[in-house]
Amino acid sequence: MSLQEVIEVPKLPARRIDSHKGDFGRVLVIGGSRGMIGAPALAANSALRGGAGLVTMALPECIQPFAATLAWCATSLPLPWGGQEGHIVKEALPVLIDEIVRQKKYEIVAIGPGLGPAECINDLVPGLVEADIPLVLDADALNNLARIDWTGMLAGKCVITPHPGEMARLIGRPIKQIQADRTAAALQAVKTMNGGRDANQAVCVLKGHRTVVTDGKRLYVNRTGNPGMASGGSGDVLTGLTAALLGQQLETFDAAVLAVYLHGLAADLAANDLSQPAMIAQDILTYLPQAFTQHLANS
């Protein structure tokens, strides 16, 4: 089957004049640990800058007060934790299932920023897929997933955003081989997500120079972005932005494409003012409104 190459970046639907915060997605970001307090906050702030109506961080209780001060406009949900590093533990699963599946408090869930080796989260993912809740999986959510057979587990409205190292762990191929044919690697990941079924809601975003986005049928290769993005936290910003766009009437593939494009464009705008070497992830977040303004003006 030949891939349809996509060049045009999706447009964000116009907001009705009588819109309210419930119209633009209720996002839950699951992550954080003692050594990674900033990661979930970056993702939450990016989701808010990306247009989400409501954003909550689900965090180990030991870091919740500190992360909350970094994301003023988000709420937070403290979770049971354990170990010296303060990771989320299995006792958190009933809390998350109750909040997400039973009470239906959140419409989009992003998992991974600063999560650490919280393998119990793997037990949560199938239930969220079955409940048809859009997911964004990044960072340690992917590293935890790579430790099990995840074939067919993400055959729903799921976006994974691995960098080449995470992709190597996910599909069991060397980084050099992945970089030699990035499209083939992304297609293999989508096939594993779907379990070989013919579906197009599962999307892989293989990050790096010329980020690849595919759902197995369509392919988008991004042209925005620069080496200044090679800084800790940049991926967390993309995670939050992707989750936000999933809550704004965009299908999975379109949300991923627009997120990658805007993320790179914000980085380009930041680099023009600050230089590539001096950029940090917070700068991408800071310039995200300008990226939106530019894209909306050209739409």
Side-chain angles (χ1 to χ4, degrees):
M1 182 185 70
S2 60
L3 279 173
Q4 175 192 351
E5 187 174 358
V6 174
I7 298 174
E8 185 176 352
V9 177
K11 300 176 182 178
L12 198 61
R15 297 192 167 202
R16 299 192 320 269
I17 196 167
D18 61 344
S19 298
H20 59 82
K21 60 189 176 184
D23 292 332
F24 303 113
R26 295 171 293 170
V27 174
L28 181 69
V29 176
I30 303 175
S33 56
R34 273 188 173 149
M36 294 284 185
I37 295 173
L42 268 174
N45 285 328
S46 182
L48 288 162
R49 281 295 187 195
L54 293 162
V55 179
T56 299
M57 297 179 291
L59 308 152
E61 188 174 15
C62 61
I63 70 164
Q64 182 267 337
F66 310 104
T69 64
L70 300 175
W72 302 338
C73 297
T75 58
S76 53
L77 172 67
L79 296 174
W81 61 280
Q84 190 173 4
E85 299 301 320
H87 297 132
I88 295 170
V89 293
K90 64 181 180 179
E91 286 78 12
L93 291 179
V95 178
L96 290 168
I97 291 170
D98 181 65
E99 291 265 327
I100 304 168
V101 180
R102 295 197 182 95
Q103 296 191 52
K104 303 183 186 301
K105 288 186 177 182
Y106 314 102
E107 297 159 333
I108 305 97
V109 179
I111 309 176
L115 184 68
E119 296 182 24
C120 59
I121 293 299
N122 287 340
D123 297 327
L124 175 67
V125 170
L128 300 185
V129 173
E130 186 177 346
D132 200 32
I133 296 169
L135 297 177
V136 184
L137 303 183
D138 183 38
D140 285 321
L142 300 177
N143 292 329
N144 289 325
L145 202 64
R147 297 186 178 100
I148 63 171
D149 181 4
W150 57 286
T151 304
M153 186 182 290
L154 305 179
K157 297 175 183 176
C158 299
V159 180
I160 63 171
T161 61
H163 58 54
E166 290 159 349
M167 180 66 92
R169 289 185 281 275
L170 281 171
I171 65 174
R173 291 169 59 184
I175 294 177
K176 186 176 181 179
Q177 191 179 105
I178 288 168
Q179 292 295 73
D181 193 341
R182 289 166 53 79
T183 297
L187 287 171
Q188 182 179 340
V190 169
K191 186 176 180 180
T192 305
M193 293 172 77
N194 287 326
R197 284 169 282 184
D198 185 20
N200 64 347
Q201 296 192 96
V203 174
C204 176
V205 174
L206 177 54
K207 295 183 293 194
H209 178 60
R210 299 290 183 254
T211 291
V212 171
V213 183
T214 186
D215 60 0
K217 297 179 180 179
R218 292 168 288 181
L219 173 71
Y220 171 78
V221 179
N222 192 49
R223 301 292 174 180
T224 61
N226 62 78
M229 302 170 77
S231 178
S234 295
D236 302 320
V237 176
L238 180 62
T239 297
L241 179 56
T242 305
L245 295 175
L246 282 170
Q248 295 175 73
Q249 303 173 44
L250 291 174
E251 66 162 327
T252 319
F253 178 79
D254 285 348
V257 168
L258 183 55
V260 165
Y261 172 82
L262 290 171
H263 185 246
L265 180 56
D268 288 341
L269 293 168
N272 286 340
D273 287 348
L274 305 173
S275 81
Q276 292 180 13
M279 277 177 56
I280 60 173
Q282 179 64 41
D283 297 325
I284 302 174
L285 182 56
T286 299
Y287 279 80
L288 195 54
Q290 290 186 36
F292 267 95
T293 300
Q294 183 171 314
H295 179 58
L296 291 171
N298 294 332
S299 298

